Amino acid sequence: MQRQKKRSEKAKTEPQMLAENADNSPKEVKESISLTVAHQIERRLISRPTPSSLLSLRPLTPLPAAPTSVWYLGIDIGTTGLAATLLNKSSKQVYPISWSVAEQTDLSEDCHRLPITIAGKVLPKNFKTYLNVTLPYYSAETGKSQPVFKWSKPEENESLALRETRYQDTQEIELSEILSVIPVLLSYFKAPENRENLPIESKNNLVNCSFAEGLSKADFEKAIADLAGIIVSCPIGWSEAYRFNVREGILASGLVSNGEQICFMEEAIASLLTEIHFHENNSTTPENISESVTTKYNSENYPLRWQGETLVINSGANTTELALVDLPEKLLDLTYQDFTLRSFPYAGNHLDQDIVCQLLLNGESEIEKPLPGEPDLLTRQQLQMRLTSTEWGETLLSAASYLKVTLPQEDSFTFTIGEEEREIRKKDLEKRVTSRFVQSLNRELNTLLTQAGSSVEAINQIICTGKTTMIPGLTNWLRQKFPNAKVIQEAEIKSTIKPENRVATGLAILPLYVQLLDNSRQQYNDYFLLLELLRTFGETQLSVGKIINLLERKGINIRACQQRLFALLAGELPAGLVPAELNAGLLTEASWQNTDYQAIRAGKLFSEVENQSYCLNSDYAQHLRHYLTAVLARTYQKLEEPYTTYWLATVESQNS
């Protein structure tokens, strides 16, 4: 009963705006002016639904038949590489993918996570972050693809105290070039003879083959060639630009042919889904299937009752994700709406920076140091560029990464920097670096609990995944903060899924739990909604009710996307449409100041007039249409129709 009460309270996200005698009288309009746009639309949706006669004016496009393939691919894109897992939906078996790499590489013979470096291109570190900045397009004004990022390749024998002229001598790289790495990496799912349309420099043959544990080579190649869909990891709160760019890279690889066959899932949810899936299905695993094919969950070594309020902390290289959920008795009763999600951009790479600044560079005053434990993104972008532009800076980052792992095991460590020996003490690491991260994490957790309407005493279990959650003292602090919770570190999880494949496996099994998909964002992404408003508006002003009617006539489910429509009408543009101020330091000055970006940042799409009506600012709209036309001119995605999720409902009568 308590769980049902929580769900009903959570469902009431909008005020109850019922009006028994609603009409369009001037008096009622005046009384409603004080209401927000969201309340206005909510009211009209409840009291004046669109007649079916209007909806029938636009015949709906028939949905294609459900695909006969039972194969789905989960792809976990990380900061330095990717992992992948196959699912056979009919048999419910998962098959983690590995790659056999050439002997001349420094990787093990069988690689469970494919490094970005295998793509054969030298890229800025943290390449994944660049995919979240904005969309690539060809600018006729500049004669090149935009945006253009600045970065530096490491130079030998260069001091960290860079000369200003040397520091300004940065190289340039276009977003389109960074994005081109994705289809190259995905080509390694295929046999060497099937890797078509790759740039010459990418045909380096560093990957001999790919294979899936438990599948024959022929069955694996057949599955990859006949995928029903792909599920990709996406950090919590990242912009639509990241999804658009990754989807574009996958379409370029040819693994699937339609953009709607690609959907996204948060990493924190995926890592939790892996564990509770195998825990719940352990007793139903067929005994007559060999161990080489079946992934079983070792529940004897992992005695947890997967119910009640559960907190997931997933912290990797660049982002710490938090997910809070009250797990039901049956996993199939769990929905996406049950999760409260939050993230903040501080994780392992930022810890390394703080170790450099707080412990290794005590006397170097020329370095602008970020606030320890805080995102402080602008300062960190500049610092990262300085550190990675020299061999000396790279050495410092490597030393910091080493100290982060080894120092917690010792009271102190003597480190040689140049000709100077320094003693780095464990208590200094904890006081000046890790404790600051814990403070920030504490702040974010308190906010999460407030959002979810929960308390520290209510948490039953905490799942910690990602290397950054293994920092010293974090586990003990979590046990103190959450006195009733069982804290499980990644190393303590005893399922047969390797840590490298945990997120990828959770992604792959989403088709077994389709209710965990953020269906609204999959169906109506932010850029599609923006274009739909541009296609809807003409020269005349439109009332809120008229906007709703026109969009519903086009088959748009307003209830599924109303909050994002409200934001667009109020003047907010989708994140990532153009680079945000926060990312200005990543772009070259010329790219940041290009005419398209300046005009879009400076204008506003709609003007609100009397009686809760809106008018399109025609000059601004024309420029926005021109920009979006340029963006979509060379893409597989055209954003002309909403996406569907029919491909998640495969015909299961056919087995591989």
Side-chain angles (χ1 to χ4, degrees), residues 477-547:
W477 176 80
L478 287 171
R479 287 176 179 144
Q480 292 174 3
K481 182 174 178 65
F482 300 95
N484 300 326
K486 170 74 174 177
V487 181
I488 306 103
Q489 286 283 358
E490 187 170 82
E492 299 173 332
I493 298 176
K494 304 300 182 182
S495 67
T496 55
I497 295 295
K498 296 180 176 65
E500 300 94 328
N501 292 106
R502 184 168 291 114
V503 172
T505 300
L507 298 169
I509 62 179
L510 175 64
L512 302 177
Y513 307 96
V514 293
Q515 73 278 4
L516 290 178
L517 174 66
D518 185 359
N519 194 63
S520 171
R521 191 167 291 277
Q522 168 70 8
Q523 188 174 16
Y524 305 113
N525 74 63
D526 293 341
Y527 303 144
F528 167 79
L529 291 177
L530 176 62
L531 277 167
E532 200 68 358
L533 282 177
L534 287 172
R535 290 188 281 253
T536 299
F537 268 83
E539 297 297 325
T540 59
Q541 67 184 47
L542 296 176
S543 66
V544 169
K546 186 64 173 178
I547 296 169

Side-chain angles (χ1 to χ4, degrees), residues 193-329:
E193 60 270 17
N194 295 329
R195 297 171 191 166
E196 303 172 351
N197 303 321
L198 288 182
I200 294 178
E201 66 270 18
S202 300
K203 297 181 179 179
N204 46 37
N205 295 321
L206 293 179
V207 178
N208 296 327
C209 67
S210 56
F211 56 93
E213 182 180 352
L215 280 180
S216 68
K217 179 181 178 181
D219 286 341
F220 173 69
E221 292 179 355
K222 178 183 177 182
I224 290 296
D226 187 31
L227 292 173
I230 296 175
I231 305 94
V232 190
S233 61
C234 180
I236 294 170
W238 276 32
S239 73
E240 193 63 47
Y242 175 77
R243 296 178 178 85
F244 187 95
N245 288 331
V246 171
R247 189 182 287 114
E248 196 65 21
I250 295 174
L251 290 173
S253 74
L255 288 178
V256 291
S257 59
N258 193 316
E260 68 183 354
Q261 291 176 272
I262 305 163
C263 67
F264 295 83
M265 188 180 192
E266 291 82 355
E267 296 166 18
I269 297 180
S271 60
L272 176 63
L273 180 58
T274 296
E275 301 311 319
I276 56 181
H277 166 77
F278 287 110
H279 180 79
E280 183 163 293
N281 289 277
N282 182 49
S283 60
T284 60
T285 302
E287 294 297 329
N288 60 344
I289 301 180
S290 68
E291 283 287 338
S292 63
V293 176
T294 306
T295 302
K296 287 191 176 183
Y297 191 97
N298 191 349
S299 58
E300 294 180 359
N301 295 328
Y302 201 28
L304 281 177
R305 186 170 179 265
W306 288 97
Q307 291 180 26
E309 296 210 28
T310 301
L311 172 66
V312 181
I313 303 176
N314 180 43
S315 189
N318 287 309
T319 305
T320 297
E321 295 192 352
L322 308 173
L324 183 58
V325 62
D326 188 2
L327 293 176
E329 293 184 6

